[in-house]
Amino acid sequence: MHLSSLPFLLVLISGIFCQYDYDMGYFPDPDYPYVHSMMVPSTAVCAPECNCPETYPSAMYCDDLKLKSIPIVPAGIKYLYLRNNMIEGIEENAFDNVTDLQWLILDHNHLENSKIKGKVLSKLKSLKKLHINYNNLTEAVGPLANTMDDLQLSHNKITKVSANVLEGMVNLTVFYLQNNQLKTDSVSGALKGLKSLLYLDLSFNQFTKLPKGLPPALLMLYFNNNQITNIPDEYFQSLKALQYLHLSHNRLTDGGIPGNVFNISSLVELDLSFNMLKSIPTVNENLENFYLQVNQINKFPLSSFCKVVGPLTYSRVKYLRLDGNNLTQADLPQEMYNCLRVAADISLQ
Ligand SMILES: *[C@@H]1O[C@H](CO)[C@@H](O)[C@H](O)[C@H]1NC(C)=O
Ligand SMILES: *[C@@H]1O[C@H](CO)[C@@H](O)[C@H](O)[C@H]1NC(C)=O
Ligand SMILES: *[C@@H]1O[C@H](CO)[C@@H](O)[C@H](O)[C@H]1NC(C)=O
Ligand SMILES: *[C@@H]1O[C@H](CO)[C@@H](O)[C@H](O)[C@H]1NC(C)=O
Ligand SMILES: *[C@@H]1O[C@H](CO)[C@@H](O)[C@H](O)[C@H]1NC(C)=O
């Protein structure tokens, strides 16, 4: 060992080393990973092709390496990045050194369900984040640990999310499933146990109806670019915290929207753009952003925004898009600003 590298190594390992009664002869040699791993479990051994930053020693970065399989993962790693490789499968023992892994990031690979062997993912008992966006999955992976917080499976070919895969994930807050091939029946029942789920993206799938049993805590719900024609009466009533609801690029018609289905008092933003609506659905007075561009709307009834107008009862809509409809300035009622008092931006063209 060169003496010149000593100060650096001392800084690197002093925190871990102080528990040992060491002398100079026991300093780890970087050329011998086994010795190294005994002495400095978390910082020193890194898969040779990967990068484990000194400042963030429990993370291993193996992005953009054309890897075809999971590299050796040494004990001590908690955050594993394997983005943009050519990984098709995961062997059953791949993570045996790191069953306490917390983040596993596998976006942009070629993973297929049949090549993710055995219980390799279920063995990760402390997993919080699992990202497998942009892969070749046909089903949701699992079962996964109940510690999961963030599950991202967008841009695959998923046609099925079984109920048992999500069972017990009481702390999951974010779930990405956009850009898959899900139909209504392929998720029904699977989602409702996700008690902490705040963010659910089911955009760019093949839903013709909304699924039954949405998780009750949702704050943001995205269903853009599906083929939804109608919404069941009182469908959103169980979602007491819902703030953002996006249903753009669907096939909604007036007949498919029961009178008060979008009159949701918690809602801040509603996107119904690119549908087939002829009238403006009734919304709650608390709504702030309302997107209705590119429909077939040809009238502007104020009663859609304000049932009654009074000192405290008026619409909070600030931003209203109506371009791409059959409406001109002349269609706007003169007394509009009694109701839409804070509307800063109403676009017609
Ligand atoms: C576990 O760690 C040991 C020692 O670093 C290594 O030899 C082995 O290949 C690792 N196993 C896996 C599956 O990564
Ligand atoms: C995904 O899987 C299909 C067959 O199952 C295969 O034809 C295709 O090449 C795979 N795509 C990628 C990106 O691995
Ligand atoms: C869920 O989160 C809470 C609070 O962080 C934690 O106490 C609890 O153990 C977690 N539950 C699971 C199953 O991980
Ligand atoms: C929305 O529903 C509430 C009752 O829940 C009602 O008071 C209000 O007038 C409705 N808003 C509109 C614009 O109809
Ligand atoms: C647009 O509305 C006008 C009346 O406001 C109606 O005469 C016309 O046919 C409508 N055009 C379309 C394409 O619906």
Side-chain angles (χ1 to χ4, degrees), residues 260 263 282-285 303-307:
N260 262 319
N263 182 352
T282 300
V283 291
N284 193 270
E285 286 80 350
S303 59
S304 295
F305 299 90
C306 299
K307 187 125 251 149

Side-chain angles (χ1 to χ4, degrees), residues 134-273:
Y134 295 93
N135 272 272
N136 216 352
L137 300 177
T138 48
E139 278 181 53
V141 292
L144 303 169
N146 292 346
T147 48
M148 283 294 296
D149 159 53
D150 173 3
L151 178 56
Q152 302 193 9
L153 303 174
S154 75
H155 296 267
N156 280 281
K157 298 171 187 162
I158 296 174
T159 56
K160 197 166 115 198
V161 181
S162 313
N164 71 321
V165 159
L166 302 176
E167 209 171 274
M169 279 196 213
V170 293
N171 282 346
L172 195 71
T173 57
V174 172
F175 195 9
Y176 282 15
L177 275 170
Q178 66 270 29
N179 294 80
N180 278 293
Q181 297 168 12
L182 291 166
K183 298 193 166 79
T184 309
D185 294 333
S186 46
V187 297
S188 282
L191 301 168
K192 65 171 185 285
L194 303 172
K195 293 188 172 60
S196 306
L197 198 68
L198 303 179
Y199 185 108
L200 177 60
D201 196 338
L202 289 164
S203 299
F204 291 93
N205 276 287
Q206 297 165 12
F207 289 94
T208 52
K209 283 183 282 180
L210 293 164
K212 286 208 183 77
L214 287 182
L218 282 180
L219 217 62
M220 302 177 195
L221 177 59
Y222 299 121
F223 261 111
N224 302 311
N225 297 78
N226 279 282
Q227 297 148 31
I228 295 164
T229 54
N230 70 302
I231 297 178
D233 203 9
E234 309 197 335
Y235 182 76
F236 300 109
Q237 213 167 40
S238 59
L239 308 182
K240 301 293 185 207
L242 191 63
Q243 293 192 8
Y244 297 83
L245 175 58
H246 288 195
L247 280 158
S248 78
H249 294 273
N250 276 287
R251 298 187 185 157
L252 292 169
T253 57
D254 294 3
I257 295 181
N260 262 319
V261 81
F262 291 125
N263 182 352
I264 308 163
S265 61
S266 54
L267 212 59
V268 172
E269 181 166 292
L270 177 60
D271 189 349
L272 298 174
S273 62

